[in-house]
Amino acid sequence: MRIMDLLTDSREEREEPVGDLEPDVGVSRAARVRVLLAAALGPLLTGYAAIATLLALAVVTAGRGSFSGAGVLLAAAPGWLAAHQVRLGLGGHPLGVLPLLPTLGVVVLAARTASGAARRLGCRSARDAVPVLVTVTAAHALFGLAVALGARGSSVTADPVAAFAVPGLLAAAAAFAGVVRTCGLPEVLAERLDPLALRGLRAGALGLAVFLACGAAVFTVATAVSWTTVSGIFEPALGSSFGLFVLSVLYLPNAVTATLSFLTGPGFSIGDLHVGMFGYRGGAVPGVPLLGGLPEHHSAWWSALLVLPAATGVLIGWTLRKVDADPAQRIRAVAVAGAVVALGCVLLGTLAGGRLGDGPFDPVSVPVGVASVVAFCWIVIPGSFAAFFAGEHEPPAPPPEALEDNQAFEDAEAVDAEAASEAVEELEASEEDEEDEEGEEPEEVPEEEPAEDAEPGLDDEPETPEAVTGGTETCGDVEPDSGDR
């Protein structure tokens, strides 16, 4: 039996989960350096290679000029900056409308890389993941600065400060999102945040996703209806058509964001062209298949599309109808969800627009201020009505423990009230007695006179004849009545 116990104990010790160990246990210094180096260079090389491959494919299909590997690699450098939303200069003309699809790709790549590095290093908290965050952020920032400094004097330039800061911030946000779940931060945040606010944050993320889905659906329908115009934009040559197709795909999230702004009301602008739910101003449009579905004039039936954002707000209110028995608390959760949607609209609208040269198509803009306020109202107003009327209106019955505590509290209050009333009565009575004593004069107590007819006590002897005689003699001083009367 002793041998079996020893074998069992040793087996249990060997099967101890690795996750319960400290982060530094089992990971040597050389292994940590290799993991951090891979986290720094992995997203850079992968993203750069993907952009270079896409450019090489576009050059090969275009069939114009000879293919140069060195030229493609050099052209991929500003493409990497554009994928990280760094504004470029093309021959002195600003290019700020950058595609969002590559940006989403590099964000996902950095997040997955940071998550894998944190998992291999055994990070259990945000403090343990700081080296991973610093490594990924510094690598993107320094690489962007190197590309901007190396592009000086060429036809494509970038501001070194922006090339350093923007990729660094983007990589930091992506890396933090990647290590959040690995390090158990959602559980920590769930413990420290208000549960009602947490439900509001989740509902806000759902509302933003539904808004984007509605924008994508409207854009798809508009493109399908105008397919004749869209297909006419493509050139007969395969290379040119492929380039236009790739360009349209890369800018697809930008178009969905602009459609979302149109769907909620404010609309968007491309140079002189303005397309809004309640206003339209004509203007020139770039010859890109992505924009083939733009309308040529205003239509009265556009207002019927407002049912989509209104239905989104009702959906958010319906999902929050059971978060609390108090209607005011439910409305507070809806307000949190509206704030999340408004913040998302500001971020997407800022990234989707920008400068487009100095020609008739400049600038491309989404009114982020108005769009965010309108999006907030679309969530809060119908969502509050739905959460208020679809949820409970009477507070639930308290548990038995709460009833006992309330009863004990009420009994204590009753005892305290009774004691206080008795103290007040005693105080009033003492005050009345003092007033009586001050208002009345003390009575004189009369002195006691000996009673003449007092009966003899038990110890007195009976009267003797001498006593009676003595009494007569005592009265003898009084003059007797005269007999002549």
Side-chain angles (χ1 to χ4, degrees), residues 214-224 252 255-256 259 289-291:
C214 292
V218 172
F219 173 80
T220 303
V221 172
T223 304
L252 187 59
V256 171
T259 308
L290 184 70
L291 304 177

Side-chain angles (χ1 to χ4, degrees), residues 59-109:
V59 172
V60 169
T61 55
R64 299 174 181 176
S66 60
F67 175 79
S68 173
V72 170
L73 291 177
L74 291 177
W80 186 90
L81 291 178
H84 288 79
Q85 294 296 312
V86 179
R87 305 298 189 255
L88 302 176
L90 302 177
H93 301 286
L95 177 61
V97 186
L98 303 175
L100 283 177
L101 187 61
T103 304
L104 296 177
V106 296
V107 166
V108 172
L109 182 61

Side-chain angles (χ1 to χ4, degrees), residues 205-414:
L206 174 63
L208 184 60
V210 174
F211 265 176
L212 291 175
C214 292
V218 172
F219 173 80
T220 303
V221 172
T223 304
V225 171
S226 306
W227 182 250
T228 303
T229 304
V230 173
S231 60
I233 299 176
F234 286 101
E235 297 182 6
L238 176 61
S240 301
S241 298
F242 180 77
L244 291 175
F245 174 76
V246 171
L247 186 64
S248 299
V249 172
L250 294 180
Y251 278 93
L252 187 59
N254 302 62
V256 171
T257 303
T259 308
L260 170 60
S261 180
F262 163 77
L263 192 62
T264 55
F268 59 93
S269 299
I270 303 176
D272 295 332
L273 175 68
H274 174 75
V275 181
M277 183 65 68
F278 304 102
Y280 182 89
R281 185 180 65 247
V285 179
V288 181
L290 184 70
L291 304 177
L294 288 176
E296 298 180 355
H297 54 82
H298 183 269
S299 298
W301 63 269
W302 287 355
S303 58
L305 296 175
L306 295 176
V307 70
L308 295 178
T312 303
V314 172
L315 175 64
I316 298 304
W318 179 263
T319 58
L320 296 175
R321 71 189 188 279
K322 295 183 178 180
V323 295
D324 198 279
D326 188 4
Q329 298 299 322
R330 297 198 295 268
I331 293 176
R332 184 166 69 91
V334 173
V336 173
V340 172
V341 173
L343 182 61
C345 290
V346 169
L347 180 62
L348 292 175
T350 303
L351 297 177
R355 298 293 303 276
L356 188 58
D358 297 320
F361 310 131
D362 180 50
V364 178
S365 62
V366 174
V368 292
V370 179
S372 61
V373 174
V374 171
F376 177 81
C377 295
W378 279 121
I379 295 296
V380 172
I381 295 177
S384 298
F385 277 98
F388 181 85
F389 291 104
E392 301 178 1
H393 292 275
E394 295 182 359
E401 295 80 2
L403 291 177
E404 293 178 359
D405 295 340
N406 292 337
Q407 185 63 33
F409 183 72
E410 292 176 359
D411 295 342
E413 284 187 343

